Amino acid sequence: MQTKSPSPVSNLHSSVPQSLEPASKTLRILFADEMSVNQRLAVQIIKNLGHHVTAFSTAREAIHVMEHSLFDLVILGCHKDDAGAYEAALSIRKWEP
């Protein structure tokens, strides 16, 4: 008789925390990703953690907003064919002290 090994998905699920503590400090987070499902999921998670999030579909839009607003954290989705996100990341790095 062969014993079935547990599926990788069930093992993964057991290692994921069931609840996350809200942050002690509220951060202003800018999130940019061209994939709407990534954007919706990230925005919901960030809000659930108690932070403020501003989301955009393109890195170019994010850069434009960053020129006029301050953020504590910037998250850019960098996909295989998205040179704009990598260029945006380089631009952001130039602004650092």
Side-chain angles (χ1 to χ4, degrees):
M1 183 169 145
Q2 261 186 333
T3 308
K4 267 184 140 178
S5 61
S7 77
V9 174
S10 64
N11 289 339
L12 177 63
H13 181 68
S14 65
S15 65
V16 175
Q18 297 304 311
S19 66
L20 296 172
E21 295 289 323
S24 57
K25 177 185 176 194
T26 301
L27 299 176
R28 293 173 313 252
I29 300 173
L30 184 141
F31 182 85
D33 195 309
E34 65 186 30
M35 299 184 72
S36 62
V37 69
N38 292 351
Q39 194 175 113
R40 287 193 312 267
L41 179 62
V43 165
Q44 191 60 49
I45 290 170
I46 292 167
K47 284 182 177 180
N48 286 350
L49 291 171
H51 302 295
H52 297 289
V53 61
T54 304
F56 294 98
S57 298
T58 68
R60 190 168 287 135
E61 291 173 317
I63 292 293
H64 178 71
V65 169
M66 286 185 65
E67 292 173 350
H68 309 288
S69 302
L70 294 175
F71 293 92
D72 299 304
L73 176 66
V74 177
I75 303 170
L76 299 175
C78 296
H79 303 282
K80 186 167 82 170
D81 297 328
D82 187 13
Y86 293 105
E87 291 171 10
L90 290 173
S91 295
I92 293 167
R93 294 299 301 234
K94 290 178 185 174
W95 295 340
E96 291 181 341

